[in-house]
Amino acid sequence: MRDIAEPKGKGSNAPRRTGLLLVVSAPSGAGKTTLCREMAHTMPGLQYSISYTTRSPRPSEVDGKDYFFITEPEFMQMVQRNEFAEWAKVHNNLYGTHAGFLKRTMAGGTDVLLDVDIQGAKLLKKRFPDGIFIFVLPPSMAVLMERLRERRSDTPEEIERRFRVAREEIRNFSDYDYIIINDEIKKAIRDLESVILAERIRITHADRDWIREQFLK
Ligand code: 5GP
């Protein structure tokens, strides 16, 4: 785990801050997964939150990297043990975010990037009002359909259903703080990076005691 927020020389008087909670939602096919993965891979101080799901892995997916693939009884046990910060049923499968992971990572000063659906984002907004909520749109509905079809792992019925659900999800765009249109992945990455960099220096996330100590004493 990269952790640039750890101050140079522990015990020094460098500023401290808890990690940001960055929530990214988008309809399937908007390219959100690629965007989040790329971001977490290249940006120091940022950790991707790997969700738990009861969905079967797609051919290219790896357990523990893309998702933790678990059974429905295992998932429900985690629900009962209160291990999820949020969980939801999406496209007939269960998905959840591990609360302990979020807490530990943010407490260590590392920012967390989450890829959750709109139901999950709503729940997280209640629990983490300081979270940053980002919505990713495809360039058009036609491109969205093309992208869903290109992903050969889903059946035509599933593709059709995801397309319909996408329109419903997009209705919620104004609940988010930022909108990124994923027309060109490099530009979308730059947009997301800009959001994270700006949020890191926002006054709400500053170590006020450190500033007072350093400059106002
Ligand atoms: P997919 O099956 O295509 O990987 O993901 C389907 C949907 O589930 C996406 O909208 C994705 O954002 C959402 N999702 C993935 N992980 C979670 C999670 O932990 N919680 C919630 N609420 N949604 C998730």
Side-chain angles (χ1 to χ4, degrees):
M1 184 197 295
R2 286 159 304 192
D3 191 354
I4 53 142
E6 189 66 43
K8 284 187 194 88
K10 276 187 191 167
S12 77
N13 62 355
R16 286 206 66 96
R17 65 169 182 89
T18 51
L20 305 174
L21 183 92
L22 298 142
V23 179
V24 179
S25 297
S28 326
K32 171 192 47 174
T33 309
T34 316
L35 181 61
C36 290
R37 293 314 163 107
E38 185 65 23
M39 208 67 241
H41 199 233
T42 56
M43 191 151 197
L46 184 70
Q47 184 92 13
Y48 182 75
S49 162
I50 303 167
S51 296
Y52 288 74
T53 185
T54 59
R55 166 166 80 63
S56 314
R58 297 194 178 111
S60 63
E61 287 178 329
V62 176
D63 185 37
K65 181 168 168 273
D66 297 288
Y67 283 103
F68 293 109
F69 295 99
I70 58 174
T71 62
E72 199 158 328
E74 283 168 337
F75 193 99
M76 291 321 291
Q77 271 173 18
M78 289 181 73
V79 170
Q80 269 153 28
R81 290 198 299 258
N82 223 0
E83 288 181 36
F84 291 126
E86 64 74 35
W87 66 276
K89 189 170 197 171
V90 190
H91 303 301
N92 287 324
N93 293 298
L94 302 172
Y95 294 84
T97 303
H98 198 272
F101 168 81
L102 293 189
K103 225 172 129 188
R104 278 195 307 277
T105 311
M106 288 162 70
T110 298
D111 301 330
V112 185
L113 185 65
L114 296 94
D115 164 348
V116 302
D117 84 316
I118 54 164
Q119 307 169 72
K122 275 189 182 140
L123 293 166
L124 288 169
K125 199 164 191 170
K126 280 196 194 125
R127 196 157 170 172
F128 299 93
D130 291 340
I132 298 128
F133 294 81
I134 303 151
F135 199 75
V136 180
L137 284 171
S140 68
M141 288 310 268
V143 171
L144 183 79
M145 183 49 116
E146 240 170 68
R147 287 184 186 164
L148 288 175
R149 286 202 181 116
E150 273 164 15
R151 193 154 69 184
R152 282 151 210 239
S153 50
D154 292 325
T155 62
E157 296 75 37
E158 179 63 16
I159 291 171
E160 196 52 49
R161 215 176 50 76
R162 281 182 186 245
F163 187 73
R164 274 200 317 276
V165 170
R167 198 181 296 276
E168 287 311 307
E169 288 175 332
I170 293 172
R171 283 188 208 289
N172 295 274
F173 75 93
S174 53
D175 292 343
Y176 288 76
D177 303 310
Y178 295 94
I179 300 288
I180 294 178
I181 297 182
N182 188 9
D183 192 355
E184 211 248 295
I185 186 73
K186 281 208 175 100
K187 182 176 176 301
I189 289 169
R190 218 172 47 236
D191 286 348
L192 182 54
E193 202 172 31
S194 310
V195 168
I196 299 171
L197 292 175
E199 289 291 342
R200 279 181 178 170
I201 54 171
R202 191 186 265 279
I203 184 68
T204 30
H205 304 300
D207 183 343
R208 289 161 196 249
D209 291 339
W210 180 84
I211 296 171
R212 286 190 192 105
E213 182 76 25
Q214 288 296 305
F215 304 104
L216 300 174
K217 264 208 152 175

